[in-house]
Amino acid sequence: MCRNIKTLFNFEPPATDDEIRAAALQFVRKLSGFNKPSKLNEAAFELALDQVNEAAALLIRSLVTLAPPRDREVEKARAIAASAQRFSKT
C-alpha cells in the first residue's frame, strides 16, 4: 500500500490538499492494516487520518529547498519508463 504514496515536495504546481490527504490515507491504511475500518474502528481511523493529514500538510508547506521545482509531467514520464523497464519481460 505505501508504494502508492508519492513524493509531494518541490513540485510545480505544488501538491494539492487532495494529494496530501490521499497520501495520509495510504499511510493510515498501512499502519492500521485496514482498507476500510469497521464501524467500531471508524472514529479512531478518521481521527488518525485527520491528524496525519494535518502533519503532512504542515511538513510539505514548511520544507525549504534551493533546488528548482520538479516538473510533474517529466517525473510522471520517468516513473512510467522505470515501471515499464522493471516489469518488461526479457
Side-chain angles (χ1 to χ4, degrees):
M1 281 191 283
C2 278
R3 287 174 285 181
N4 294 334
I5 299 175
K6 306 296 182 214
T7 301
L8 298 176
F9 174 62
N10 197 28
F11 277 100
E12 190 59 47
T16 65
D17 290 340
D18 288 341
E19 289 172 316
I20 294 170
R21 185 151 184 100
L25 176 60
Q26 288 299 321
F27 183 73
V28 171
R29 284 176 172 170
K30 182 66 171 184
L31 288 179
S32 68
F34 299 133
N35 190 32
K36 180 170 173 38
S38 66
K39 287 287 185 190
L40 188 61
N41 292 312
E42 193 171 28
F45 187 92
E46 289 298 322
L47 177 61
L49 176 56
D50 290 343
Q51 291 175 338
V52 169
N53 182 58
E54 186 177 318
L58 178 63
L59 172 66
I60 296 300
R61 292 183 181 113
S62 299
L63 293 173
V64 176
T65 184
L66 298 177
R70 294 175 287 184
D71 184 281
R72 287 177 180 270
E73 293 305 314
V74 170
E75 294 299 320
K76 183 178 178 180
R78 252 188 226 150
I80 290 170
S83 179
Q85 184 177 8
R86 183 175 35 233
F87 295 110
S88 68
K89 297 185 189 230
T90 55

